[in-house]
Amino acid sequence: MTKKILVMALLAIGGFANAQKGTILVGGNISYSSEKTEYQFSEEKVNSFTFSPKVGYQFHDNWTVGGEFAVTSATNDDGAVEEKLNGFKIGAFVRYTMPLSQTFSVFADMGVGVQNQKYKEYGPGNAFYKSKADGVYAGVTPALFINMKKGFGLNFSIGGLGFETLSYDNNGADVSNFYFNFGQTFNIGISKNF
């Protein structure tokens, strides 16, 4: 019994040593989706791509601070109207990590920054419309980290909590959005501590 407790204690200590103070964290997510809907006389194609890397410095065994960036591109084409949306976010994040074992850790990323979106719409007869919006965002995303080997691993999250604003140009709308989407999204990312 004492040997089992000693082995479990050593595994727990090893888990705390996975991502050590003074290391650099590099990680991020990539997502792509493509959807085609066919109607009787037409079809609609929707494509979207998002790339969101982050780099941080682990200044404490449980705390990391760094920068994050995200770029998004989406198109919607139904044959008559084509819509294009391009956006980016840039900001800072702080991460608190709690090791559960040598293999598993849970963490929460708290991020804040600025964002920009550009929208273009091409319609029939050379019709064209465009708009641009600027705003801010803040959010908290809890996740699970699975250590595959030497600090390289997979991140799994199922949603988060956040707030964002967008203010459109040319007397356009001012939009604010609060979201709480636990269980409605599923993301897989990778990360590595150097």
Side-chain angles (χ1 to χ4, degrees):
M1 182 75 163
T2 308
K3 288 183 182 179
K4 287 182 182 177
I5 293 173
L6 182 60
V7 169
M8 289 173 59
L10 288 174
L11 287 175
I13 291 169
F16 283 95
N18 279 338
Q20 297 176 347
K21 181 172 119 174
T23 60
I24 301 295
L25 169 74
V26 177
N29 296 327
I30 295 176
S31 69
Y32 175 77
S33 68
S34 180
E35 180 181 336
K36 181 178 175 182
T37 306
E38 293 185 10
Y39 302 100
Q40 186 174 0
F41 299 108
S42 65
E43 67 180 25
E44 181 179 22
K45 296 178 185 175
V46 179
N47 296 307
S48 65
F49 171 78
T50 302
F51 175 56
S52 54
K54 59 177 58 182
V55 177
Y57 176 72
Q58 188 156 349
F59 64 93
H60 183 274
D61 286 340
N62 301 94
W63 291 96
T64 304
V65 65
E68 60 186 8
F69 179 78
V71 61
T72 302
S73 177
T75 61
N76 185 347
D77 187 355
D78 66 4
V81 176
E82 182 182 8
E83 300 172 307
K84 293 184 178 183
L85 176 72
N86 293 306
F88 78 86
K89 294 180 178 181
I90 187 166
F93 76 94
V94 64
R95 172 180 291 187
Y96 180 78
T97 304
M98 181 189 309
L100 302 175
S101 70
Q102 191 171 7
T103 305
F104 297 100
S105 299
V106 291
F107 66 86
D109 279 353
M110 296 150 275
V112 63
V114 295
Q115 63 179 342
N116 175 275
Q117 286 186 357
K118 292 180 181 175
Y119 173 81
K120 294 179 182 178
E121 182 179 303
Y122 304 90
N126 294 327
F128 177 73
Y129 170 79
K130 71 176 183 176
S131 65
K132 183 178 129 184
D134 296 304
V136 296
Y137 73 91
V140 177
T141 305
L144 172 69
F145 173 74
I146 299 176
N147 184 18
M148 305 303 277
K149 189 174 184 181
K150 296 183 180 178
F152 175 80
L154 299 175
N155 303 317
F156 296 91
S157 66
I158 57 167
L161 172 71
F163 177 78
E164 61 183 14
T165 64
L166 284 169
S167 179
Y168 287 87
D169 61 355
N170 299 325
N171 296 318
D174 291 333
V175 179
S176 60
N177 178 30
F178 173 78
Y179 61 88
F180 179 80
N181 59 3
F182 287 105
Q184 295 180 357
T185 64
F186 180 74
N187 292 308
I188 300 174
I190 59 171
S191 63
K192 169 76 173 131
N193 275 80
F194 295 95

